Amino acid sequence: MTSPAYAGHIRRLIDPNRHAPSEEVTHGDSLVLGTIGAQFQESRETTHFSIVDRWGNAVSNTYTLNWSYGSRYVVEGTGILMNDEMDDFSIKPGVPNLYGLVGAEANAIQPNKRMLSSMTPTIITKDNKPFLVVGSPGGSRIITGVCQTILNVIDHQMNVEDAVVASRVHSQWLPDHVVIEKLGVPRDVQEALARKGHTVVVDDYGYMGEVHAILVDPEKGLLFGAFDPRWGTSSAVGY
Ligand code: DON
């Protein structure tokens, strides 16, 4: 009701010349909002923020309930949602979790074992000072988004916003395929991957992660903040 873009989207679903039977009419999808450029969009994602203050202190923070709304239990009287991080343990070897990740004995639900985590809040330093602060939500795609952003900046010398925007390619051992974003991976690259024996699939969500990065240029005393246009709620803010 507060978004003209979303109202326009709903309006286009209405046929002015025909009654819509009630069983064909269903609730809206807030995730559509981002894809049509509307301002507000509720993400199912984990949250990441990167901060550098005026003194050069840096924070890279990724925090999560795991899946959307966690375990969907609220602690009575507090409003605090409980997470479902138990899914990051392996219920038994070979059985994938929500992200298709396959854990092993080390991730069993037992004392002295650890859950899997892809969360990789990262601070890269140069001469002992923060140079690149970066992180992302996205389950198993987090490592991919963070790693590719770092490679784009350091190895490919891209500016930090271009590095975040660049299309992502993901592989996580199992399932044994390469996942690409819906847009941005040239067809000849997809065909070359297929010729090498890769099974290339388009991510069922269309895009992966939400990287937030800050590049520090100490010589010029400048901070370059990069937000991820994949989500309407992403932003880079200066002070
Ligand atoms: O620790 C992990 O890797 C997962 N619990 C992260 C979950 C996540 O990023 C969900 N957001 N998309």
Side-chain angles (χ1 to χ4, degrees):
M1 292 176 77
T2 55
S3 163
Y6 188 63
H9 163 73
I10 296 293
R11 197 179 308 114
R12 280 188 290 279
L13 300 178
I14 298 170
D15 182 346
N17 300 314
R18 190 183 144 259
H19 162 70
S22 292
E23 61 265 24
E24 286 177 18
V25 179
T26 180
H27 59 80
D29 180 357
S30 67
L31 291 174
V32 169
L33 287 166
T35 62
I36 59 172
Q39 280 299 308
F40 174 75
Q41 174 192 16
E42 188 157 9
S43 149
R44 68 174 186 186
E45 301 265 24
T46 295
T47 302
H48 177 85
F49 55 78
S50 301
I51 297 175
V52 178
D53 72 9
R54 74 189 73 175
W55 298 284
N57 300 301
V59 174
S60 179
N61 182 71
T62 313
Y63 65 99
T64 190
L65 290 170
N66 196 41
W67 205 241
S68 193
Y69 290 93
S71 61
R72 298 165 194 192
Y73 283 96
V74 175
V75 182
E76 211 178 323
T78 68
I80 295 170
L81 269 163
M82 303 298 284
N83 66 51
D84 64 335
E85 280 295 339
M86 288 306 288
D87 177 67
D88 282 345
F89 283 102
S90 174
I91 47 174
K92 62 180 172 178
V95 176
N97 74 357
L98 282 168
Y99 302 96
L101 293 170
V102 178
E105 286 296 341
N107 318 109
I109 305 173
Q110 282 172 22
N112 298 318
K113 307 288 184 187
R114 297 181 64 165
M115 64 234 261
L116 300 158
S117 181
S118 306
M119 293 199 291
T120 41
T122 302
I123 299 174
I124 295 179
T125 59
K126 194 172 172 183
D127 303 326
N128 275 333
K129 297 214 169 95
F131 165 67
L132 183 62
V133 187
V134 55
S136 178
S140 56
R141 278 102 165 124
I142 293 174
I143 302 168
T144 297
V146 170
C147 177
Q148 286 173 10
T149 302
I150 294 168
L151 292 175
N152 287 345
V153 169
I154 294 179
D155 294 73
H156 304 311
Q157 298 279 294
M158 288 163 74
N159 85 51
V160 68
E161 184 62 50
D162 287 350
V164 169
V165 170
S167 170
R168 298 180 186 134
V169 176
H170 171 77
S171 182
Q172 59 181 45
W173 178 50
L174 290 174
D176 186 4
H177 58 211
V178 173
V179 188
I180 59 170
E181 292 190 304
K182 194 163 62 177
L183 300 172
V185 180
R187 193 155 301 277
D188 61 335
V189 173
Q190 296 181 37
E191 286 164 1
L193 286 167
R195 274 198 302 280
K196 289 183 177 182
H198 294 287
T199 303
V200 180
V201 299
V202 176
D203 184 76
D204 53 8
Y205 218 41
Y207 40 91
M208 311 177 205
E210 184 188 353
V211 174
H212 288 89
I214 302 171
L215 186 91
V216 184
D217 182 340
E219 279 149 35
K220 296 203 172 65
L222 292 174
L223 302 173
F224 295 91
F227 73 101
D228 200 325
R230 288 165 181 80
W231 284 104
T233 46
S234 184
S235 64
V237 184
Y239 52 82

